[in-house]
Amino acid sequence: HSKGQVGEIGQMFYNKTLCTIVMLCASSSLPIFQRRDNNGRLSMCSKLCYAIGGAPYQITGSALGFFLQIYLLDVAQLDPFYASIILFVGRAWDAVTDPTVGFLVSRSRWTRCGRMMPWILISTPFAVLTYFLIWYVPPVEQGKVLWYLVFYCLFQSLQTCFHVPYSALTMFISMDQKERDSATAYRMTVEVLGTVVGTAIQGQIVGRAIAPCLPGDLDVLDNGNSTLLGSDFNITHISLDETKQAYLIASAVICTMYVLCAAVLFLGVREQEEPMSFFEGVRMVMGYGPYVKLVMGFLFTSLAFMLLEGNFALFITYTLGFRNDFQNILLVIMLSGTLSIPFWQWFLIRFGKKTAVYIGITWAVPFMILIVCIESSLIVAYVVSVAAGVSVAAAFLLPWSMLPDVVDDFKVKNPDSSGHEAIFYSFYVFFTKFASGISLGISTLSLDFAGYVTRGCSQPDAVNLTLKVLVSPAPVVLIFLGLFIFKTYPIDEERRQGNRKLLQEMRESDQDSETESTELGSVV
């Protein structure tokens, strides 16, 4: 073919590909992405596509939550003080961006692909790039802190542009409360599975190239090798190159999965259009009692599990002494959580969501106490991991299952106000992320004050004591504070079912009004 013919063929291929993508996005009748059955209910395929969209946030979140702290300390070799600044500022910045993105989303115009989907589509390539650069150790020593701070903040901002619209999408995929609860159960199952995948990818790849530790009497040479003084082994080769490469490989795999999951969400889910406002909505939402109580209750319980998540890898490695098993123990926690999601979904339907909160979240308390009170035992560590995973599953599922109930209750109390869903979700994410930043910053700073030794084979007694406090007494206290606040949460099963009936009557009334208007217009 001539160059002109090749160009025409390329242009034709591009146009057909673009048309195909638009058709997939706009059409609701394609069999592979059938969104609703003949009764108007969401199809299983639509629920799965929606659920898969939640995986990127959890895959990257579990990798960062479990491994970023130990990566900054032992691989990037930052001072614990600077590592704490990066972790705190990054999470705090992430929290601030949530209401900002919520405002921008609410002001966005409706497109053929919806209001939420363009945010998800555009943010994805930039998010994966910045995520990859977080796990790259720059060759300059002086600019490391700035490097990680910038790319960590950038990634958190771009991920917020994905996650806030995705979270609010729950209220736009269906008007039926049961369908939303079912879709949320699918989502939580996939999200916990996402934490398993993130922990497995990061843990198993990195675990095969663990950063070598440095004994006390070690004279480090300029060429990257080390001489162990007073030992029969004169020279021990210690290099971080393989460990750095392993982190990059793991991040590349996670980036690929991020893009694939975003594509499935974009092609398989269609949102329903509703009008939105923001500033008046913020005032109404933040003054709504049930929402405030729900957010405050889960704020403390989420902070408890974030403390446990952020310090568990260090606790297993140094306090328990299972340096070569920590990635497998973390994987067991996530697998246990994944397998427990269907049970908790059945439990909350059978006994109510408030009961599920009390039992599910307190389930981990005795095991948190057990892990720090007995002698170091690998078997006990695995038993505790299985039990903790069951409680983690409840902590994952329940907040996102109960937020739609608060939105429905708000709609019943304010029937003339609509379009505030993004505000509910963005501010809930804001508070939980801000708490996460506080937990990581304080815990890393506490380790610095306790005398943490970077890349040490063992840590001082003060560090081990600090790790014990961070994974047991502190989370236990926070859990009970959260449950105490949750006692005042007013939306029980009776009120939830009543709201469901009232909203159904309101929708039927609106449909009747629209039918009458149409008939009148036809007569005229």
Side-chain angles (χ1 to χ4, degrees), residues 212-291:
C213 62
L214 302 178
D217 297 328
L218 197 62
D219 182 23
V220 182
L221 303 179
D222 293 336
N223 61 3
N225 297 330
S226 303
T227 302
L228 188 62
L229 302 180
S231 172
D232 294 334
F233 302 96
N234 291 327
I235 296 179
T236 302
H237 294 281
I238 297 178
S239 174
L240 288 176
D241 290 342
E242 290 185 1
T243 305
K244 294 176 182 178
Q245 186 178 11
Y247 272 100
L248 288 177
I249 293 172
S251 64
V253 174
I254 288 175
C255 287
T256 302
M257 298 192 69
Y258 194 117
V259 173
L260 291 175
C261 292
V264 171
L265 172 67
F266 180 72
L267 296 175
V269 176
R270 185 173 183 175
E271 58 185 287
Q272 301 178 20
E273 183 175 7
E274 277 195 28
M276 280 195 170
S277 60
F278 189 79
F279 291 111
E280 181 65 19
V282 170
R283 184 187 66 78
M284 297 177 68
V285 168
M286 299 308 296
Y288 192 59
Y291 178 70

Side-chain angles (χ1 to χ4, degrees), residues 164-199:
V164 168
Y166 173 76
S167 299
L169 195 61
T170 306
M171 301 302 299
F172 293 93
I173 58 175
S174 176
M175 296 294 104
D176 187 83
Q177 190 183 91
K178 279 190 174 180
E179 290 299 296
R180 290 201 306 263
D181 284 348
S182 177
T184 300
Y186 276 80
R187 171 189 167 186
M188 291 301 104
T189 301
V190 173
E191 286 196 359
V192 176
L193 183 61
T195 63
V196 174
V197 172
T199 305

